[in-house]
CSV table of all heavy atoms in Angstrom, one decimal:
chain,number,residue,atom,x,y,z
A,282,PRO,N,-23.1,6.9,-17.8
A,282,PRO,CA,-23.6,8.1,-17.0
A,282,PRO,C,-25.2,8.0,-17.0
A,282,PRO,O,-25.9,8.7,-17.7
A,282,PRO,CB,-23.2,9.3,-18.0
A,282,PRO,CG,-23.0,8.7,-19.3
A,282,PRO,CD,-22.6,7.2,-19.1
A,283,VAL,N,-25.7,7.2,-16.1
A,283,VAL,CA,-27.1,7.0,-15.9
A,283,VAL,C,-27.5,7.6,-14.5
A,283,VAL,O,-26.7,8.0,-13.8
A,283,VAL,CB,-27.6,5.5,-15.9
A,283,VAL,CG1,-27.4,5.1,-17.3
A,283,VAL,CG2,-26.7,4.7,-15.0
A,284,GLN,N,-28.7,7.6,-14.2
A,284,GLN,CA,-29.3,8.1,-13.0
A,284,GLN,C,-28.7,7.4,-11.7
A,284,GLN,O,-28.3,8.0,-10.7
A,284,GLN,CB,-30.7,8.2,-12.9
A,284,GLN,CG,-31.5,9.0,-14.0
A,284,GLN,CD,-33.0,8.9,-14.0
A,284,GLN,OE1,-33.6,8.4,-13.0
A,284,GLN,NE2,-33.6,9.4,-15.0
A,285,ARG,N,-28.5,6.1,-11.8
A,285,ARG,CA,-28.1,5.3,-10.8
A,285,ARG,C,-27.3,4.1,-11.2
A,285,ARG,O,-27.7,3.4,-12.2
A,285,ARG,CB,-29.3,4.9,-9.9
A,285,ARG,CG,-29.0,3.9,-8.8
A,285,ARG,CD,-30.2,3.6,-7.9
A,285,ARG,NE,-30.0,2.5,-6.8
A,285,ARG,CZ,-30.1,1.3,-7.0
A,285,ARG,NH1,-30.8,0.8,-8.1
A,285,ARG,NH2,-29.8,0.5,-6.1
A,286,THR,N,-26.1,3.8,-10.5
A,286,THR,CA,-25.4,2.7,-10.7
A,286,THR,C,-25.2,2.0,-9.4
A,286,THR,O,-25.0,2.7,-8.4
A,286,THR,CB,-24.1,2.9,-11.4
A,286,THR,OG1,-23.3,3.8,-10.6
A,286,THR,CG2,-24.2,3.5,-12.8
A,287,ALA,N,-25.3,0.7,-9.4
A,287,ALA,CA,-24.9,-0.1,-8.2
A,287,ALA,C,-23.9,-1.1,-8.6
A,287,ALA,O,-24.1,-2.0,-9.5
A,287,ALA,CB,-26.2,-0.8,-7.8
A,288,VAL,N,-22.7,-1.0,-7.9
A,288,VAL,CA,-21.6,-1.9,-8.2
A,288,VAL,C,-21.5,-2.9,-7.0
A,288,VAL,O,-21.2,-2.4,-5.9
A,288,VAL,CB,-20.3,-1.2,-8.4
A,288,VAL,CG1,-19.0,-2.2,-8.6
A,288,VAL,CG2,-20.4,-0.3,-9.7
A,289,LEU,N,-21.8,-4.1,-7.2
A,289,LEU,CA,-21.7,-5.1,-6.2
A,289,LEU,C,-20.4,-5.9,-6.3
A,289,LEU,O,-19.7,-5.8,-7.3
A,289,LEU,CB,-22.9,-6.1,-6.2
A,289,LEU,CG,-24.3,-5.4,-6.4
A,289,LEU,CD1,-25.4,-6.4,-6.6
A,289,LEU,CD2,-24.6,-4.4,-5.2
A,290,SER,N,-20.1,-6.7,-5.3
A,290,SER,CA,-18.9,-7.5,-5.4
A,290,SER,C,-19.1,-8.9,-4.9
A,290,SER,O,-19.8,-9.1,-3.8
A,290,SER,CB,-17.7,-6.8,-4.5
A,290,SER,OG,-16.6,-7.8,-4.6
A,291,ALA,N,-18.5,-9.9,-5.5
A,291,ALA,CA,-18.6,-11.3,-5.0
A,291,ALA,C,-17.4,-11.6,-4.2
A,291,ALA,O,-17.5,-12.7,-3.6
A,291,ALA,CB,-18.7,-12.2,-6.3
A,292,ALA,N,-16.5,-10.7,-4.0
A,292,ALA,CA,-15.3,-11.0,-3.1
A,292,ALA,C,-15.7,-11.4,-1.7
A,292,ALA,O,-15.1,-12.4,-1.2
A,292,ALA,CB,-14.3,-9.8,-3.1
A,293,PRO,N,-16.6,-10.7,-1.1
A,293,PRO,CA,-17.0,-11.2,0.3
A,293,PRO,C,-17.6,-12.6,0.3
A,293,PRO,O,-17.4,-13.4,1.3
A,293,PRO,CB,-17.9,-10.2,0.8
A,293,PRO,CG,-17.6,-9.0,0.0
A,293,PRO,CD,-17.3,-9.4,-1.4
A,294,LEU,N,-18.4,-12.9,-0.7
A,294,LEU,CA,-19.0,-14.2,-0.8
A,294,LEU,C,-17.9,-15.4,-1.1
A,294,LEU,O,-18.0,-16.4,-0.4
A,294,LEU,CB,-20.0,-14.3,-2.0
A,294,LEU,CG,-21.2,-13.3,-1.8
A,294,LEU,CD1,-22.0,-13.3,-3.1
A,294,LEU,CD2,-22.1,-13.6,-0.7
A,295,LEU,N,-17.1,-15.1,-1.9
A,295,LEU,CA,-16.0,-16.0,-2.2
A,295,LEU,C,-15.1,-16.2,-1.0
A,295,LEU,O,-14.5,-17.2,-0.6
A,295,LEU,CB,-15.1,-15.5,-3.3
A,295,LEU,CG,-15.9,-15.6,-4.8
A,295,LEU,CD1,-15.1,-14.8,-5.8
A,295,LEU,CD2,-16.1,-17.0,-5.1
A,296,ALA,N,-14.8,-15.0,-0.2
A,296,ALA,CA,-14.0,-15.1,1.0
A,296,ALA,C,-14.6,-16.0,2.0
A,296,ALA,O,-14.0,-16.9,2.7
A,296,ALA,CB,-13.9,-13.7,1.6
A,297,ASP,N,-16.0,-16.0,2.2
A,297,ASP,CA,-16.7,-16.7,3.1
A,297,ASP,C,-16.6,-18.2,2.7
A,297,ASP,O,-16.4,-19.1,3.5
A,297,ASP,CB,-18.2,-16.4,3.2
A,297,ASP,CG,-18.4,-15.1,3.8
A,297,ASP,OD1,-17.4,-14.5,4.4
A,297,ASP,OD2,-19.5,-14.6,3.6
A,298,LEU,N,-16.6,-18.5,1.4
A,298,LEU,CA,-16.4,-19.9,0.9
A,298,LEU,C,-15.0,-20.3,1.2
A,298,LEU,O,-14.8,-21.5,1.6
A,298,LEU,CB,-16.8,-20.0,-0.5
A,298,LEU,CG,-16.7,-21.3,-1.2
A,298,LEU,CD1,-17.8,-22.2,-0.7
A,298,LEU,CD2,-16.6,-21.2,-2.7
A,299,ILE,N,-14.1,-19.6,0.9
A,299,ILE,CA,-12.6,-19.9,1.1
A,299,ILE,C,-12.3,-20.4,2.5
A,299,ILE,O,-11.6,-21.4,2.8
A,299,ILE,CB,-11.8,-18.9,0.6
A,299,ILE,CG1,-11.8,-18.7,-1.0
A,299,ILE,CG2,-10.3,-19.1,1.0
A,299,ILE,CD1,-11.2,-17.5,-1.5
A,300,VAL,N,-12.8,-19.6,3.4
A,300,VAL,CA,-12.5,-19.9,4.8
A,300,VAL,C,-13.2,-21.2,5.2
A,300,VAL,O,-12.7,-21.9,6.2
A,300,VAL,CB,-12.8,-18.8,5.8
A,300,VAL,CG1,-11.9,-17.5,5.5
A,300,VAL,CG2,-14.3,-18.4,5.8
A,301,GLN,N,-14.3,-21.5,4.7
A,301,GLN,CA,-14.9,-22.8,5.0
A,301,GLN,C,-14.1,-23.9,4.4
A,301,GLN,O,-13.9,-25.0,5.0
A,301,GLN,CB,-16.4,-22.9,4.4
A,301,GLN,CG,-17.3,-21.9,5.1
A,301,GLN,CD,-18.7,-21.9,4.4
A,301,GLN,OE1,-18.9,-22.7,3.5
A,301,GLN,NE2,-19.4,-20.8,4.7
A,302,ARG,N,-13.7,-23.9,3.1
A,302,ARG,CA,-13.1,-24.9,2.4
A,302,ARG,C,-11.5,-24.9,2.7
A,302,ARG,O,-11.0,-26.0,2.7
A,302,ARG,CB,-13.2,-24.7,0.9
A,302,ARG,CG,-14.7,-24.7,0.5
A,302,ARG,CD,-15.4,-25.9,0.5
A,302,ARG,NE,-16.8,-25.7,0.1
A,302,ARG,CZ,-17.3,-25.8,-1.1
A,302,ARG,NH1,-16.5,-26.1,-2.1
A,302,ARG,NH2,-18.6,-25.7,-1.3
A,303,ARG,N,-10.9,-23.8,2.8
A,303,ARG,CA,-9.4,-23.8,3.0
A,303,ARG,C,-9.1,-22.8,4.1
A,303,ARG,O,-8.6,-21.6,3.9
A,303,ARG,CB,-8.6,-23.3,1.7
A,303,ARG,CG,-8.9,-24.2,0.5
A,303,ARG,CD,-8.3,-25.5,0.6
A,303,ARG,NE,-8.5,-26.2,-0.7
A,303,ARG,CZ,-9.4,-27.2,-0.9
A,303,ARG,NH1,-10.3,-27.4,0.0
A,303,ARG,NH2,-9.6,-27.7,-2.0
A,304,PRO,N,-9.4,-23.1,5.4
A,304,PRO,CA,-9.0,-22.2,6.5
A,304,PRO,C,-7.5,-21.8,6.5
A,304,PRO,O,-6.7,-22.5,6.2
A,304,PRO,CB,-9.3,-23.1,7.8
A,304,PRO,CG,-10.3,-24.2,7.3
A,304,PRO,CD,-9.9,-24.5,5.9
A,305,ARG,N,-7.4,-20.5,6.8
A,305,ARG,CA,-6.1,-19.8,6.9
A,305,ARG,C,-5.4,-20.0,5.6
A,305,ARG,O,-4.1,-20.0,5.5
A,305,ARG,CB,-5.3,-20.6,7.9
A,305,ARG,CG,-5.7,-20.4,9.4
A,305,ARG,CD,-4.9,-21.1,10.4
A,305,ARG,NE,-4.9,-22.5,10.3
A,305,ARG,CZ,-5.9,-23.5,10.6
A,305,ARG,NH1,-7.0,-22.9,11.1
A,305,ARG,NH2,-5.8,-24.6,10.4
A,306,ALA,N,-6.0,-19.9,4.5
A,306,ALA,CA,-5.4,-20.0,3.1
A,306,ALA,C,-4.7,-18.7,2.9
A,306,ALA,O,-5.0,-17.6,3.5
A,306,ALA,CB,-6.5,-20.2,2.1
A,307,LEU,N,-3.8,-18.7,2.1
A,307,LEU,CA,-3.1,-17.5,1.6
A,307,LEU,C,-3.8,-17.1,0.3
A,307,LEU,O,-3.8,-17.8,-0.7
A,307,LEU,CB,-1.6,-17.8,1.2
A,307,LEU,CG,-0.8,-16.7,0.4
A,307,LEU,CD1,-0.7,-15.4,1.3
A,307,LEU,CD2,0.6,-17.2,0.1
A,308,LEU,N,-4.3,-15.8,0.2
A,308,LEU,CA,-5.0,-15.3,-1.0
A,308,LEU,C,-3.8,-14.6,-1.9
A,308,LEU,O,-3.2,-13.8,-1.4
A,308,LEU,CB,-6.0,-14.5,-0.7
A,308,LEU,CG,-7.2,-14.9,0.1
A,308,LEU,CD1,-8.4,-13.8,0.2
A,308,LEU,CD2,-7.7,-16.2,-0.4
A,309,VAL,N,-3.9,-15.1,-3.1
A,309,VAL,CA,-2.9,-14.5,-4.1
A,309,VAL,C,-3.6,-13.9,-5.4
A,309,VAL,O,-4.4,-14.7,-6.0
A,309,VAL,CB,-1.8,-15.5,-4.5
A,309,VAL,CG1,-1.0,-14.8,-5.6
A,309,VAL,CG2,-1.0,-15.9,-3.3
A,310,GLY,N,-3.4,-12.7,-5.7
A,310,GLY,CA,-3.8,-12.1,-6.9
A,310,GLY,C,-2.9,-12.4,-8.1
A,310,GLY,O,-1.7,-12.2,-7.9
A,311,PRO,N,-3.4,-12.9,-9.2
A,311,PRO,CA,-2.5,-13.2,-10.4
A,311,PRO,C,-1.8,-12.1,-11.0
A,311,PRO,O,-0.9,-12.1,-11.8
A,311,PRO,CB,-3.4,-14.0,-11.3
A,311,PRO,CG,-4.7,-13.5,-11.1
A,311,PRO,CD,-4.9,-13.2,-9.6
A,312,ASP,N,-2.4,-10.8,-10.8
A,312,ASP,CA,-1.8,-9.5,-11.4
A,312,ASP,C,-2.2,-8.4,-10.5
A,312,ASP,O,-3.0,-8.5,-9.5
A,312,ASP,CB,-2.2,-9.4,-12.8
A,312,ASP,CG,-3.7,-9.5,-13.0
A,312,ASP,OD1,-4.5,-9.0,-12.2
A,312,ASP,OD2,-4.2,-9.9,-14.1
A,313,MET,N,-1.7,-7.2,-10.8
A,313,MET,CA,-1.9,-6.0,-10.0
A,313,MET,C,-3.4,-5.5,-10.1
A,313,MET,O,-3.9,-5.0,-9.2
A,313,MET,CB,-1.0,-4.9,-10.4
A,313,MET,CG,0.5,-5.1,-10.2
A,313,MET,SD,0.8,-5.5,-8.5
A,313,MET,CE,0.2,-4.1,-7.7
A,314,GLU,N,-4.0,-5.8,-11.2
A,314,GLU,CA,-5.5,-5.5,-11.4
A,314,GLU,C,-6.4,-6.2,-10.5
A,314,GLU,O,-7.5,-5.8,-10.1
A,314,GLU,CB,-6.0,-5.7,-12.9
A,314,GLU,CG,-5.2,-4.7,-13.8
A,314,GLU,CD,-5.7,-5.0,-15.3
A,314,GLU,OE1,-6.6,-5.8,-15.4
A,314,GLU,OE2,-5.0,-4.4,-16.2
A,315,SER,N,-5.8,-7.3,-9.9
A,315,SER,CA,-6.7,-8.2,-9.0
A,315,SER,C,-6.6,-7.7,-7.6
A,315,SER,O,-7.3,-8.2,-6.7
A,315,SER,CB,-6.3,-9.6,-9.2
A,315,SER,OG,-5.0,-9.9,-8.6
A,316,ALA,N,-5.7,-6.8,-7.3
A,316,ALA,CA,-5.4,-6.4,-6.0
A,316,ALA,C,-6.6,-5.9,-5.2
A,316,ALA,O,-6.8,-6.1,-3.9
A,316,ALA,CB,-4.3,-5.3,-5.9
A,317,GLN,N,-7.5,-5.2,-5.8
A,317,GLN,CA,-8.7,-4.6,-5.1
A,317,GLN,C,-9.6,-5.8,-4.6
A,317,GLN,O,-10.1,-5.6,-3.5
A,317,GLN,CB,-9.4,-3.7,-6.1
A,317,GLN,CG,-9.9,-4.4,-7.4
A,317,GLN,CD,-10.7,-3.4,-8.2
A,317,GLN,OE1,-11.6,-2.7,-7.8
A,317,GLN,NE2,-10.2,-3.3,-9.6
A,318,TRP,N,-9.7,-6.8,-5.4
A,318,TRP,CA,-10.6,-7.9,-5.0
A,318,TRP,C,-9.9,-8.7,-3.9
A,318,TRP,O,-10.5,-9.3,-2.9
A,318,TRP,CB,-11.0,-8.7,-6.2
A,318,TRP,CG,-11.9,-7.9,-7.1
A,318,TRP,CD1,-13.2,-7.5,-6.9
A,318,TRP,CD2,-11.6,-7.4,-8.3
A,318,TRP,NE1,-13.7,-6.8,-7.9
A,318,TRP,CE2,-12.7,-6.7,-8.8
A,318,TRP,CE3,-10.4,-7.4,-9.1
A,318,TRP,CZ2,-12.7,-6.0,-10.0
A,318,TRP,CZ3,-10.4,-6.8,-10.3
A,318,TRP,CH2,-11.5,-6.0,-10.8
A,319,VAL,N,-8.6,-9.0,-4.1
A,319,VAL,CA,-7.9,-9.8,-3.2
A,319,VAL,C,-7.8,-9.1,-1.8
A,319,VAL,O,-8.1,-9.7,-0.7
A,319,VAL,CB,-6.4,-10.0,-3.6
A,319,VAL,CG1,-5.6,-10.7,-2.5
A,319,VAL,CG2,-6.4,-10.9,-4.9
A,320,ALA,N,-7.5,-7.8,-1.7
A,320,ALA,CA,-7.5,-7.1,-0.5
A,320,ALA,C,-8.9,-7.1,0.2
A,320,ALA,O,-9.0,-7.2,1.5
A,320,ALA,CB,-7.1,-5.6,-0.8
A,321,GLN,N,-9.9,-6.9,-0.5
A,321,GLN,CA,-11.4,-7.0,0.1
A,321,GLN,C,-11.7,-8.3,0.6
A,321,GLN,O,-12.2,-8.3,1.8
A,321,GLN,CB,-12.4,-6.5,-1.0
A,321,GLN,CG,-13.8,-6.5,-0.5
A,321,GLN,CD,-14.8,-6.2,-1.7
A,321,GLN,OE1,-14.4,-5.9,-2.8
A,321,GLN,NE2,-16.0,-6.0,-1.4
A,322,ALA,N,-11.3,-9.4,-0.1
A,322,ALA,CA,-11.6,-10.7,0.4
A,322,ALA,C,-10.8,-10.9,1.6
A,322,ALA,O,-11.3,-11.6,2.7
A,322,ALA,CB,-11.3,-11.7,-0.7
A,323,ALA,N,-9.5,-10.6,1.6
A,323,ALA,CA,-8.6,-10.9,2.7
A,323,ALA,C,-9.1,-10.2,4.0
A,323,ALA,O,-9.0,-10.8,5.1
A,323,ALA,CB,-7.2,-10.6,2.3
A,324,ALA,N,-9.5,-8.9,3.9
A,324,ALA,CA,-9.8,-8.2,5.0
A,324,ALA,C,-11.0,-8.7,5.7
A,324,ALA,O,-11.2,-8.6,7.0
A,324,ALA,CB,-10.1,-6.7,4.6
Side-chain angles (χ1 to χ4, degrees):
V283 292
Q284 296 174 16
R285 176 175 174 261
T286 58
V288 175
L289 312 175
S290 180
L294 302 174
L295 292 168
D297 292 347
L298 178 73
I299 289 167
V300 296
Q301 293 173 14
R302 306 287 180 88
R303 305 287 185 265
R305 297 178 298 280
L307 169 66
L308 301 189
V309 174
D312 54 32
M313 295 307 298
E314 293 179 11
S315 66
Q317 56 182 307
W318 294 288
V319 173
Q321 184 181 358

